Amino acid sequence: MQVTRSIFSFNLNNLNPVLFVVFFLFVSLIPSRVNAQGVVTPPAFLDSWSEIKVWLESPLPQERMADKFSVRIDGRITPIASVTGSGEPERDRVLPQTPGRIILAGTIQSALGGKDWDPDGEVTQMKEEKRGVFTLTVLLPGGRYEYKITRGGSWDENYGQDFVRNGKNLALTVPVGGKIVKFWMDFERRQVLNSLENPEEVIAPTTLPPRPAAPKINKYRVASLTLAVPLTPEQITSSVIVMDNQGKTRTVVAREVLSQSAFYYPGADLGSRWSKGQTSFKVWSPVSTSARLLLFTTATGGKPREVPMRRQSAGVWSALVPGDLNGVYYQYAFESYGKRRIAADINCYSASPDSRRSRVIDLKSTNPPGWSPPVGNRPYVTDAIIYELHVRDFTIRPSSGVPADKRGKYAGLAFRGARVPGTNFRTGLDYLTGLGVTDIHLLPVQNFLTSSATEYTWGYATNLFNMPEESYSMTPNDPTGVIREFKGMVNGFHEAGLRVVLDVVYNHTWPPSGEGSAFWQTVPYYYFRTNDRGDLLNESGVGNALNDDRPMVRKFVRDSLLYWLTEYKVDGFRFDLMGMFQRESVLDWAKALRAQRPDVLLYGEPWTGGGPIRFGKGDQRGAGVAVFNDYFRTAFRGDADGSLPGFAMGGKVDENALQKAITGWIDSPGKKDGFTDSPQETINYVSAHDNLTLWDKVVKSLPGASLQIRGSAVRLAAAATLLSQGIPFIEGGTPIGRTKGGNPNSYNAGDIVNGYDWAIAPQFAAIRDYYQGLIRLRKAHPVFRLSSAEEVRRTLRFLPARSLPKNTIAFTLTGVADRSRKTYREYLVILHGGNEWQALSLPAGTWSVLADSMIADATPHDTVTNLLRLQPLTAYVFAR
């Protein structure tokens, strides 16, 4: 996911940013109150049966809180047992609270007496030494720390690794016994350095600089009110008000208390369930005092028929409506916190084209002819070869050879027989089957932006999660046709022997809050992470962050994933910004999915859109999921969008990093130096939809190079990806020379930049053939797709660096002779990342050539003995 992309459904370029911020705060903080001065007063929050948290306009010492508040439940005063300060105490700032203050936010903060990941934490506020250069010197205990740089006291502007905005966490390991560490940051040079890891650039200090003494009085931003008599589940819909001694009142909103077992609904029947004689409706909204079902005959307009809903256990509301309601549109009308809220059904399976109204549907009527089961069972996920594509991009141009009405549509992906006009070069689905990949990773297809019919987008802005996006359908105004066409695409892939992986974006929703968000309207504040002031935490970089800690949120994601697995028969999921989720959530979802499909493919991004990482590299160990291996990408590609070359482009790369990449980043014998338990946990890739395409990166890293040399770099990157241990992942279009003109973030660049230019594909036929050959080689020889760390340690050996030319790495793989499978006892792989011809003495004997500078295949096409001349940027595979 590229978190800097715009995801708004209207044009923000012409909107005054100050006015937008005011508007966003006004909408998102409902049911907050606005006082006579126009200041938004946040609600208070009920986080347990007896605890109410109140955000204070100004921090107070605890002794001044005791008589400040009173609580009324349904108009009657209820006694307060105690009032205490909540959270980390705040002291009067020693350092000035300047608008552009720079904070080193992360796990370092608690080691210094502050609060971890506090973007406004004074304890790690950096001092400006000269314009644009900031430093911080602290004494840190021994241990491993992660951190980022924030500016302005919030996560809105933050910098991580390689000074990338919203980038991955920086990490630092301090030796046992502790050290005084100086951090140095330069905005102009775009660098963050420290005296431990960069002693030549940052001189290690011997003493701590003096700091002004902090005031001794603890002050708190949050008051925690403990009720003398706890509330009961029956009182969850009562009117609870907090009043301070100046007469200001706040509505108390149920938040964390809704995670109590009394409000957990285990049933799998939320949403609408159609039958010819009747349809049942169920929705979870425990905070609502009433709920009504609004039935419409059309997608827009019209007066609804209102049906009262009955409250059941756990806060579920239900209605049973007789008759055949197939195709009827509906909404829910909730009354909560004194406000009427209209919402689509967050659990619905179909909706109007603008997503404002849900729709009852007979799902059996959407099954296409010959609706087929998934592709047969796969014992190991390392047998997968993933190809990433965007539904629209793949066939939108006339050069795809797909009929005009199907271009950019689900039907276009399933179309067979397409060729580049005037040639016999296969495109579309035939191209994918010919390439030999096994799994098709589709960029988001869950229902997203309501203006997507007229706005190009990658789709990382989901609105309703249980239905396909209509703009990719030939019949976008026919909800039944949308589903039928999507299933037809899945059917076409399955019949071609390909599996379907969905890129799912459960980490956030769009809109983030307010009247346009069905989640917000159904249960305000519950589905998203907020602070005690009620602000949405923008950990995703696009407005909100799903709070998967909460049982009914975690269940929502689980139910949605299972629905796509069973109803649409998809074969896997790629989780966007998986680093935002708790490990317990990922384990829960993986367990539920594997109970249905043991061979389901699960993987995701082990980072976030700016907030703290909860599920990073290493957390996937034993979880049954894989993570994108950006270490692998950096080793062979270099930086993401700059000109720094990786190994595949002639760059000098640490030998250990290359070896770890090739072995699937497992632990070395007797060490804990990897982040995986097995190769099944790493997604090996050099490029994806984010950042420069591989071809654009090669052009930038090898300026002035010939097309031949650039092709060699792409071949070497492909060989590294397909011959290393792990799950290979291929950026869509790379084998046919796909370029985006150097655009590193083309989320809104439209078809001219993003559409596959199949017209140039025949010029890259040799590159395509090389990819095909490598894929056949990997499939035919199991030693290239081992499933366990033990197999890798037993099978793979690296040749000593001293026996190899510079910028060369080589390894052997020992297999078992099986002529029926065309395997060999021993394989030799040589990756030469040098820009010059080099000579290499091969191990004694005659070797069969499976891959060289131009040809790769499962069967040998030549033999070689003794001395080998290594061509620049070339991979070799020999066997005997």
Side-chain angles (χ1 to χ4, degrees):
M1 175 184 181
Q2 192 78 24
V3 296
T4 56
R5 65 172 67 94
S6 168
I7 50 101
F8 301 108
S9 58
F10 50 91
N11 188 352
L12 291 183
N13 295 327
N14 300 322
L15 182 65
N16 184 300
V18 175
L19 291 178
F20 174 74
V21 170
V22 172
F23 169 78
F24 178 80
L25 284 174
F26 179 81
V27 172
S28 66
L29 289 176
I30 294 171
S32 302
R33 299 173 182 270
V34 181
N35 65 22
Q37 289 75 38
V39 177
V40 176
T41 302
F45 292 104
L46 185 67
D47 280 346
S48 74
W49 294 121
S50 58
E51 181 189 28
I52 297 174
K53 288 182 179 176
V54 182
W55 178 270
L56 305 176
E57 294 178 2
S58 300
L60 291 174
Q62 187 163 299
E63 54 268 25
R64 290 183 55 190
M65 298 179 184
D67 300 321
K68 185 176 176 63
F69 304 100
S70 63
V71 176
R72 287 177 170 79
I73 301 177
D74 289 334
R76 291 180 293 181
I77 293 179
T78 189
I80 300 174
S82 64
V83 182
T84 58
S86 179
E88 294 289 332
E90 294 190 12
R91 298 183 172 93
D92 293 334
R93 293 186 74 92
V94 173
L95 298 175
Q97 193 170 7
T98 57
R101 57 196 175 279
I102 305 300
I103 306 294
L104 192 150
T107 57
I108 288 171
Q109 291 169 299
S110 62
L112 301 172
K115 181 181 179 181
D116 280 348
W117 299 106
D118 182 357
D120 196 24
E122 183 195 10
V123 70
T124 52
Q125 182 170 334
M126 304 185 81
K127 180 182 178 182
E128 189 167 23
E129 299 290 346
K130 59 181 181 179
R131 186 174 180 83
V133 177
F134 296 80
T135 65
L136 172 70
T137 302
V138 293
L139 173 61
L140 289 176
R144 187 179 186 277
Y145 301 92
E146 293 190 356
Y147 62 98
K148 301 178 84 168
I149 302 296
T150 67
R151 178 152 69 175
S154 76
W155 286 106
D156 291 344
E157 183 178 354
N158 70 84
Y159 300 90
Q161 290 181 23
D162 302 320
F163 214 81
V164 173
R165 189 162 180 171
N166 298 317
K168 295 181 285 297
N169 296 352
L170 293 150
L172 174 68
T173 300
V174 177
V176 176
K179 283 282 186 180
I180 296 177
V181 182
K182 182 176 183 179
F183 294 90
W184 179 92
M185 190 204 65
D186 187 332
F187 269 104
E188 183 175 345
R189 293 171 61 182
R190 301 183 63 78
Q191 284 185 316
V192 180
L193 306 175
N194 64 76
S195 57
L196 267 185
E197 298 175 314
N198 316 100
E200 295 182 359
E201 295 94 337
V202 183
I203 298 175
T206 56
T207 60
L208 289 171
R211 287 176 64 87
K216 296 180 180 180
I217 300 175
N218 285 338
K219 295 182 179 181
Y220 296 86
R221 270 287 183 183
V222 179
S224 178
L225 283 54
T226 301
L227 302 179
V229 180
L231 275 72
T232 65
E234 291 72 29
Q235 291 177 295
I236 199 66
T237 56
S238 296
S239 171
V240 184
I241 301 295
V242 172
M243 179 179 290
D244 65 21
N245 53 16
Q246 295 181 349
K248 295 179 180 178
T249 62
R250 306 188 192 203
T251 299
V252 176
V253 172
R255 189 174 60 175
E256 202 59 55
V257 71
L258 297 179
S259 295
Q260 299 283 343
S261 59
F263 300 114
Y264 184 77
Y265 181 72
D269 57 349
L270 293 176
S272 61
R273 298 292 186 274
W274 172 90
S275 70
K276 196 169 184 64
Q278 62 184 19
T279 298
S280 67
F281 300 84
K282 286 188 178 181
V283 59
W284 184 77
S285 184
V287 299
S288 292
T289 56
S290 71
R292 301 181 73 82
L293 174 67
L294 310 181
L295 299 174
F296 300 86
T297 57
T298 57
T300 59
K303 185 177 180 179
R305 169 191 170 194
E306 294 199 16
V307 179
M309 302 188 77
R310 182 170 57 91
R311 189 180 180 98
Q312 296 183 317
S313 63
V316 170
W317 296 84
S318 69
L320 190 65
V321 181
D324 185 354
L325 269 60
N326 185 35
V328 170
Y329 294 89
Y330 69 98
Q331 293 174 320
Y332 296 124
F334 303 106
E335 291 284 344
S336 61
Y337 307 117
K339 180 181 174 65
R340 180 177 168 90
R341 306 171 191 276
I342 306 298
D345 184 353
I346 63 173
N347 295 286
C348 70
Y349 298 149
S350 179
S352 59
D354 64 5
S355 305
R356 294 183 180 275
R357 293 178 181 175
S358 301
R359 183 174 178 270
V360 179
I361 189 163
D362 169 13
L363 286 169
K364 287 185 178 180
S365 70
T366 66
N367 293 341
W371 185 217
S372 65
V375 179
N377 184 55
R378 176 169 54 200
Y380 302 111
V381 294
T382 45
D383 292 335
I385 301 168
I386 304 167
Y387 184 95
E388 179 196 53
L389 63 81
H390 180 274
V391 173
R392 182 176 178 89
D393 296 351
F394 196 61
T395 64
I396 191 62
R397 292 194 180 187
S399 61
S400 69
V402 171
D405 61 337
K406 294 181 173 61
R407 292 176 197 155
K409 309 298 182 181
Y410 300 126
L413 287 186
F415 184 77
R416 303 302 298 260
R419 301 290 186 269
V420 174
T423 77
N424 198 38
F425 193 100
R426 294 189 292 180
T427 71
L429 182 53
D430 290 347
Y431 166 80
L432 295 172
T433 57
L435 196 60
V437 295
T438 63
D439 293 65
I440 307 304
H441 166 145
L442 299 178
L443 266 65
V445 293
Q446 292 170 312
N447 177 256
F448 49 79
L449 291 177
T450 54
S451 64
S452 54
T454 57
E455 173 187 357
Y456 180 90
T457 177
W458 282 345
Y460 291 93
T462 315
N463 190 338
L464 298 172
F465 286 90
N466 292 337
M467 48 178 285
E469 167 58 27
E470 71 281 343
S471 65
Y472 295 152
S473 170
M474 296 171 63
T475 57
N477 294 316
D478 174 11
T480 298
V482 171
I483 295 174
R484 187 178 292 120
E485 186 176 338
F486 185 91
K487 286 182 174 180
M489 174 196 67
V490 174
N491 213 39
F493 280 131
H494 284 170
E495 289 176 347
L498 297 171
R499 297 167 186 254
V500 180
V501 177
L502 301 190
D503 191 333
V504 290
V505 195
Y506 292 106
N507 57 79
H508 72 274
T509 71
W510 185 260
S513 64
E515 293 185 0
S517 168
F519 291 87
W520 190 266
Q521 295 295 85
T522 303
V523 190
Y525 288 96
Y526 181 74
Y527 282 94
F528 310 112
R529 298 186 186 278
T530 56
N531 60 20
D532 287 331
R533 190 171 58 192
D535 301 324
L536 290 166
L537 301 185
N538 188 17
E539 297 175 353
S540 63
V542 285
N544 65 24
L546 201 78
N547 194 336
D548 62 292
D549 299 11
R550 296 174 179 157
M552 285 300 289
V553 179
R554 186 174 291 172
K555 179 183 184 296
F556 171 82
V557 177
R558 183 198 318 134
D559 289 349
S560 178
L561 290 167
L562 287 170
Y563 175 70
W564 284 96
L565 191 75
T566 55
E567 179 64 32
Y568 287 98
K569 301 181 182 179
V570 301
D571 307 279
F573 300 94
R574 177 267 197 191
F575 293 89
D576 182 64
L577 299 185
M578 188 166 62
M580 292 174 58
F581 297 131
Q582 298 286 359
R583 188 172 192 271
E584 292 78 7
S585 296
V586 179
L587 288 171
D588 177 270
W589 302 332
K591 179 180 178 182
L593 289 166
R594 293 200 186 284
Q596 287 285 334
R597 284 276 304 278
D599 65 334
V600 65
L601 180 59
L602 305 174
Y603 57 100
E605 295 178 304
W607 44 76
T608 74
I613 295 175
R614 300 178 184 87
F615 193 94
K617 290 189 294 293
D619 291 316
Q620 86 296 326
R621 287 181 185 261
V625 301
V627 294
F628 280 93
N629 190 341
D630 54 327
Y631 296 160
F632 185 100
R633 181 191 65 183
T634 300
F636 290 103
R637 172 194 177 99
D639 57 13
D641 296 322
S643 58
L644 182 68
F647 182 85
M649 298 149 210
K652 184 173 177 56
V653 179
D654 178 71
E655 181 185 11
N656 181 64
L658 292 173
Q659 291 187 359
K660 299 303 289 183
I662 290 166
T663 57
W665 228 278
I666 60 172
D667 293 328
S668 302
K671 297 181 180 179
K672 287 290 184 182
D673 58 351
F675 72 83
T676 71
D677 278 350
S678 80
Q680 298 189 79
E681 296 177 354
T682 171
I683 300 293
N684 295 337
Y685 74 116
V686 290
S687 59
H689 68 278
D690 281 333
N691 306 113
L692 294 172
T693 71
L694 180 57
W695 279 97
D696 288 342
K697 168 62 180 172
V698 168
V699 169
K700 193 166 186 176
S701 294
L702 297 174
S706 66
L707 182 60
Q708 179 182 354
I709 289 296
R710 290 172 179 171
S712 295
V714 170
R715 286 186 180 90
L716 181 54
T721 303
L722 287 158
L723 300 176
S724 294
Q725 302 300 326
I727 305 169
F729 176 101
I730 300 171
E731 169 210 351
T734 300
I736 59 169
R738 188 185 184 202
T739 174
K740 296 182 183 179
N743 187 330
N745 187 15
S746 63
Y747 70 93
N748 64 350
D751 299 331
I752 293 177
V753 171
N754 289 291
Y756 284 42
D757 185 5
W758 290 98
I760 68 170
Q763 303 171 34
F764 293 88
I767 300 288
R768 177 208 57 187
D769 293 346
Y770 194 78
Y771 268 88
Q772 287 177 339
L774 285 173
I775 290 170
R776 285 194 295 267
L777 192 160
R778 180 181 177 88
K779 286 181 173 180
H781 303 278
V783 291
F784 294 106
R785 41 192 173 85
L786 303 174
S787 60
S788 72
E790 175 62 27
E791 283 185 302
V792 175
R793 296 188 190 104
R794 186 175 63 245
T795 303
L796 193 150
R797 293 287 183 275
F798 289 97
L799 273 61
R802 62 180 179 275
S803 66
L804 301 171
K806 64 180 181 179
N807 277 35
T808 303
I809 189 164
F811 55 95
T812 60
L813 296 153
T814 54
V816 177
D818 183 353
R819 294 304 177 188
S820 65
R821 300 179 64 185
K822 302 181 177 64
T823 60
Y824 297 83
R825 289 192 179 276
E826 186 176 14
Y827 299 80
L828 172 63
V829 178
I830 303 167
L831 304 178
H832 178 50
N835 291 309
E836 300 176 350
W837 288 77
Q838 295 284 350
L840 172 65
S841 295
L842 294 173
T846 299
W847 294 87
S848 298
V849 182
L850 298 174
D852 55 22
S853 62
M854 294 300 293
I855 301 174
D857 212 333
T859 55
H861 60 274
D862 202 354
T863 59
V864 63
T865 58
N866 301 325
L867 191 67
L868 176 68
R869 294 194 67 213
L870 300 174
Q871 294 188 37
L873 308 182
T874 297
Y876 298 87
V877 181
F878 304 129
R880 65 180 180 183

